[in-house]
Amino acid sequence: MSPTTETTVGIGGAAESTDMVLNIGPQHPSTHGVLRLRLVLDGERIMHAEPVIGYMHRGAEKLFEARDYRQIIMLANRHDWLSAFSNELGVVLAVERMLGMEVPERAVWMRTLLAELNRVLNHLMFLGSYPLELGGITPVFYAFREREELQNVMEEISGGRMHYMFNRVGGLKEDLPAGWTSRAREVIADVRSRMDVFDDLVLGNEIFRGRTRDVGVLTPQTVHAYGVSGPIARASGVDFDLRRDEPYLAYGELQDTLRVVTREEGDCLARFECLLGQAHNSLDLADACLDRLAELPPGPVNQRLPKVLKAPEGHTYAWTENPLGINGYYLVSKGEKTPYRLKLRSASYNNIQALVELLPGTLVADMVAILGSLFFVVGDIDK
């Protein structure tokens, strides 16, 4: 009988030493943006992660160069569609600084009030959507209920639900409608009375805590290395907030009310807690602004501008504490009616880069928990 040779065909042990490349995304734009993650896996463990961006790039910075100083506000409020008012604000602050323009006091307090309401709107979206990404659908219904109430008062003053276009160089479009402040007070009180839903329903949920505690720990060193800012940085113990450390608008007079929420753990749970604590404090700041507005006499809310607005030749840099972190606006003017250059430094762009450090070594099952806890908007990355 001739000898027989046996050959085993299969993956067997070879799979243990073979890396697998997995693409997460890109997804459809209606899923809050188009981000692609290129993961290299060893079994279920992530060995390397690369965020691939640019799928939504719209060239806003180049378009700034072909629009005048009134028109660029429209372009600027869209990159982070959850923070439109705050986006507008940074642009007009940069232009006003170039012009050496003083804004009426009433407009300063109104801007501060609306910026804080916009911050709550932004945070409520993530407070509801993050538990949804981990399998809990109920919180998103509560979050949208509160958002609807706040959206109604924002829509009443501006006519817009997402892109308000209420800021103007020199102030605001117009004064608040009659009776608006009392309606805003009622809404703020209603939202505050129900915010404990997130404390009890989400933070009190043992499954949520099990999925987020000690997961995706971001060190202060990584925060500084990648320029991470906002509640994500403060959750890692980096205690920096422009509203307190370099006050703009009326924040210098709100230091007794302003509370910068920080944590030391740097994990997904800490990031959620910082976001929730900041939403609570923004409601308090909005109330303080309403109190101050009630004391101010009637007056203008904007400056009269020439028909053709030209900024003097030069350059300036303005930065603001946007809901998702620090936004910077580097404006260069050649003395024309359009910017020579307007460079945006958006918070989400820097924050998402930290995934390169956060994901390696973690399990695929924890990837969604880590990704969702960075609270980003893809349009804010791609601009």
Side-chain angles (χ1 to χ4, degrees):
M1 181 181 290
S2 59
T4 303
T5 303
E6 294 185 356
T7 303
T8 303
V9 179
I11 57 173
E16 297 178 5
S17 60
T18 303
D19 290 338
M20 173 183 174
V21 177
L22 179 66
N23 281 293
I24 307 295
Q27 306 292 348
H28 190 274
S30 67
T31 59
H32 209 50
V34 184
L35 175 71
R36 173 185 165 209
L37 289 179
R38 184 180 182 276
L39 307 179
V40 178
L41 307 180
D42 181 3
E44 293 187 26
R45 196 163 297 278
I46 298 171
M47 306 308 295
H48 177 75
E50 178 190 358
V52 182
I53 64 175
Y55 290 94
M56 290 187 68
H57 185 57
R58 291 160 290 172
E61 292 178 351
K62 193 64 182 174
L63 290 173
F64 288 150
E65 300 171 16
R67 305 291 189 275
D68 67 33
Y69 287 105
R70 293 179 174 89
Q71 295 169 327
I72 61 175
I73 301 172
M74 178 276 295
L75 292 169
N77 72 9
R78 282 164 164 71
H79 57 89
D80 174 1
W81 45 79
L82 297 178
S83 310
F85 187 88
S86 300
N87 298 339
E88 300 171 11
L89 188 59
V91 171
V92 296
L93 288 175
V95 178
E96 287 162 5
R97 182 173 295 179
M98 286 286 287
L99 294 168
M101 181 181 291
E102 288 290 331
V103 176
E105 184 181 13
R106 186 170 177 81
V108 171
W109 282 96
M110 285 169 57
R111 280 178 171 179
T112 311
L113 164 64
L114 297 174
E116 290 306 313
L117 291 179
N118 192 196
R119 194 181 307 274
V120 180
L121 277 169
N122 176 289
H123 292 354
L124 280 169
M125 175 63 80
F126 292 107
L127 292 172
S129 66
Y130 184 49
L132 178 64
E133 290 162 1
L134 298 180
I137 192 171
T138 307
V140 77
F141 297 126
Y142 289 105
F144 268 85
R145 179 184 65 182
E146 314 311 335
R147 276 179 54 85
E148 278 300 309
E149 289 209 33
L150 289 168
Q151 287 279 29
N152 288 340
V153 296
M154 295 292 281
E155 185 178 6
E156 184 180 353
I157 61 161
S158 66
R161 288 183 61 80
M162 290 187 70
H163 306 303
Y164 306 110
M165 274 302 295
F166 199 58
N167 276 288
R168 295 292 186 272
V169 176
L172 294 168
K173 177 186 174 185
E174 57 198 9
D175 207 342
L176 300 173
W180 183 89
T181 53
S182 61
R183 289 189 288 277
R185 281 188 188 277
E186 292 172 6
V187 167
I188 291 168
D190 286 346
V191 172
R192 181 187 287 109
S193 70
R194 295 192 292 261
M195 286 295 286
D196 60 347
V197 165
F198 300 100
D199 291 289
D200 301 334
L201 186 65
V202 182
L203 288 180
N205 186 288
E206 60 182 273
I207 299 175
F208 178 83
R209 300 184 75 87
R211 289 291 308 275
T212 55
R213 187 193 289 114
D214 298 328
V215 174
V217 177
L218 183 65
T219 65
Q221 293 77 18
T222 304
V223 167
H224 293 303
Y226 284 87
V228 175
S229 59
I232 300 171
R234 292 191 284 273
S236 296
V238 179
D239 189 5
F240 183 71
D241 190 314
L242 284 175
R243 298 174 298 169
R244 179 198 63 197
D245 301 320
E246 287 196 23
Y248 57 100
L249 294 182
Y251 289 115
E253 299 181 48
L254 291 169
Q255 297 301 305
D256 292 338
T257 308
L258 177 63
R259 181 171 62 91
V260 179
V261 182
T262 61
R263 294 289 186 275
E264 297 296 329
E265 295 84 0
D267 56 12
C268 296
L269 181 60
R271 291 191 277 275
F272 187 87
E273 289 175 339
C274 277
L275 202 73
L276 179 56
Q278 192 165 285
H280 280 292
N281 186 240
S282 289
L283 292 171
D284 296 337
L285 289 167
D287 265 338
C289 291
L290 285 168
D291 292 339
R292 182 71 176 115
L293 281 170
E295 299 170 359
L296 292 177
V301 295
N302 50 39
Q303 297 277 24
R304 291 184 63 86
L305 299 177
K307 187 174 182 180
V308 178
L309 179 64
K310 295 183 178 181
E313 189 169 348
H315 60 92
T316 190
Y317 184 79
W319 56 348
T320 59
E321 187 69 42
N322 265 40
L324 297 181
I326 293 174
N327 269 26
Y329 305 83
Y330 179 58
L331 174 63
V332 181
S333 171
K334 294 291 187 180
E336 301 297 330
K337 65 178 182 180
T338 61
Y340 178 75
R341 184 79 171 91
L342 179 54
K343 169 67 179 173
L344 290 180
R345 188 271 188 207
S346 59
S348 297
Y349 180 83
N350 288 72
N351 292 352
I352 204 69
Q353 306 307 318
L355 286 170
V356 175
E357 302 284 346
L358 275 179
L359 290 179
T362 64
L363 297 173
V364 176
D366 289 328
M367 184 273 298
V368 173
I370 297 170
L371 180 65
S373 72
L374 292 186
F375 312 128
F376 60 90
V377 171
V378 178
D380 200 41
I381 301 171
D382 290 343
K383 300 190 286 295

